[in-house]
Amino acid sequence: MQRARDGRWMTPLGRFVSEFTVRRLCAEFSARGEPVTPTAVEQWLAGRTMPRPRHAQILVMASGGTLTLDDIWAHSRDR
């Protein structure tokens, strides 16, 4: 499976998005008044862009605190 070999899915952020799903995550952002596109999420996962600070906070909230800001910044830095 491609995902299993792709390092972006091995980080805390990647695992969270994989389990939560991009579609559900985009709906969560919209519900919080901060809409993002699936392309934006994919860009974060690929390490091409970083979530804005407010978006990073929403990721942490959506994860119930299992994802940290450090996890998000580390993913972006390491990709």
Side-chain angles (χ1 to χ4, degrees):
M1 176 179 203
Q2 181 63 26
R3 265 191 187 186
R5 289 182 292 222
D6 188 339
R8 78 180 88 182
W9 302 105
M10 306 300 267
T11 67
L13 176 61
R15 286 190 300 271
F16 168 72
V17 173
S18 180
E19 292 173 17
F20 201 81
T21 75
V22 171
R23 183 180 194 159
R24 190 170 153 214
L25 190 57
C26 289
E28 180 74 21
F29 274 92
S30 290
R32 293 176 184 265
E34 294 280 340
V36 297
T37 65
T39 301
V41 177
E42 293 294 336
Q43 294 292 315
W44 299 341
L45 292 172
R48 290 184 194 102
T49 63
M50 291 175 60
R52 294 178 185 162
R54 177 70 183 136
H55 292 165
Q57 291 171 335
I58 292 171
L59 285 165
V60 171
M61 289 185 280
S63 77
T66 60
L67 191 63
T68 68
L69 291 175
D70 286 340
D71 292 331
I72 296 164
W73 306 144
H75 177 93
S76 297
R77 183 184 61 243
D78 296 343
R79 294 295 308 155

